[in-house]
Amino acid sequence: MSLADYLAKNYLTADSKPEKKSKKRKRIGGFDGLIIADDDPLGWSSTTAAKEEDDGPVTVGGSSAEFRKAKSSKWQTIGAASTSTDQAAADAILASVAAESSARVLAEDDAPTIDDSDLKNESGIQAGLQSGAQVAAQIKRAKDLERRRFTEGGAEENGKGQETIYRDASGRIINLAMKRAEARKKAEEEAAKAAAELEAQKGDVQRVQLAKRKEELAEAKFLPVARYADDEDLNDELKERDRWNDPAAQFLSKKKQGKSVTGKPLYTGPAMPNRYGIRPGYRWDGVDRGNGFEKEYFAAQNKRKNLKDLDYAWQMDE
């Protein structure tokens, strides 16, 4: 059957309608009672039959009745294609409809079917309903695989030779090289600050002595190993030393200049001694403004020495 025949058979056949009798005609045909006819004052008199004929349907020709009474379709196809062409077109329409419906089904299906056997947990164990033996076997296989990867893998897998990553409280990575450089710089600054404070605590005499000691060490490279009594530098150095109990110091022809090693003048008057042997400045007015500690210090030392001498003397008398 061609597509045209199929459409004509199912969709283009005229439905036969049952014949309905006019109600007016039934009433006219079955009415046998009294007829009251009014006189028309205008002269337009008409009978009831004429009125009924005007109200009835007008039938033109007999084609309508014949069409309704026909049981077979009288539709004719003009310029119809061959049967094979119609069949191919019908098959194409059906295929397109099937494709559209399958595409619609796939689009509406939001949750595709997934095989539960492919689902695995984060640890690599298969998910779903399983027996205890299966779970134990999977756990053992996962552990063996991880151990093999750790032993046979390189430095990236086992972590050997990798540098430790340190983080602060906020989680940021700490750069060890930068931190070491900052710590080294801070230590150097602290050492320089401590050296500056120690240097500030020294006096002018200590600085001069330190500089002189450095010069002596630099000159010692050119001095002989043994120094004899005729060494002029050694004799001058020994003569420059002050000895409080030297009886021949007053007979020296060369007198010291009244200046200190720093080049400042020296005080030549009497003064109380101190623990460090430092003379007062040349502008001192002779008034002791200390708290008396130096005097008590020397008095305590002298008392201890006297008691020691008396103890020794008493032992000898016995």
Side-chain angles (χ1 to χ4, degrees), residues 123 140-152 157:
S123 59
K140 184 176 181 301
R141 184 167 59 254
K143 288 184 178 179
D144 295 341
L145 181 62
E146 184 178 1
R147 188 181 299 105
R148 190 182 307 110
R149 185 172 64 251
F150 181 78
T151 54
E152 298 177 359
E157 295 291 340

Side-chain angles (χ1 to χ4, degrees), residues 173-202:
I173 297 177
I174 300 175
N175 192 345
L176 295 181
M178 186 180 298
K179 289 294 182 181
R180 291 193 184 101
E182 292 178 357
R184 191 182 306 111
K185 183 178 180 181
K186 185 177 180 180
E188 292 177 355
E189 292 178 355
E190 292 179 354
K193 185 177 180 180
E197 292 179 356
L198 182 62
E199 187 70 20
Q201 294 175 2
K202 295 180 180 179

